[in-house]
Amino acid sequence: LEQELLHSYGVQTLGVDNSRDAVDLIASDVEFNLIIIEKILPVLNGLEVTRQIREIGVCCKMLEVTACSGESERQAFLATGVDVFIEKPLDHEHLVPILRELDGQ
């Protein structure tokens, strides 16, 4: 659903089947402006993926989208390097300001 929403704004996306593939893709020097991570992922959980991505040295904006929106959950993701924490579903209200920021508007 996130990819469909991004496509509706003309954003090019790359999706992967599991978290290990995500880390491998990001480590392959493909450049990203925004990385969207979910908490529950096949292979590694979202917290571990976020840690590994930041350890690689990726500095782009990272967005966590999750159905688990408790304060401790939010703090855990922010501590790993996520820039924005959003409760599902990702919608226009949350996405448009982020896209504008990335576009320099």
Side-chain angles (χ1 to χ4, degrees), residues 16-93:
V16 293
D17 293 328
N18 64 65
S19 54
R20 174 55 53 208
D21 290 347
V23 172
D24 291 345
L25 176 65
I26 292 164
S28 73
D29 292 330
V30 174
E31 197 168 312
F32 294 93
N33 296 319
L34 175 65
I35 297 173
I36 299 176
I37 300 173
E38 298 210 16
K39 177 188 177 197
I40 300 171
L41 298 167
V43 183
L44 303 170
N45 69 41
L47 286 167
E48 183 58 30
V49 170
T50 302
R51 276 190 209 98
Q52 288 187 20
I53 291 170
R54 289 303 191 208
E55 286 173 3
I56 292 168
V58 173
C59 297
C60 75
K61 186 169 253 347
M62 290 177 61
L63 169 65
E64 170 64 29
V65 180
T66 183
C68 305
S69 62
E71 183 59 25
S72 63
E73 196 74 22
R74 186 177 81 76
Q75 290 300 325
F77 272 98
L78 293 173
T80 64
V82 167
D83 298 296
V84 180
F85 185 87
I86 296 174
E87 183 177 351
K88 282 186 175 184
L90 179 60
D91 58 17
H92 302 280
E93 178 183 325

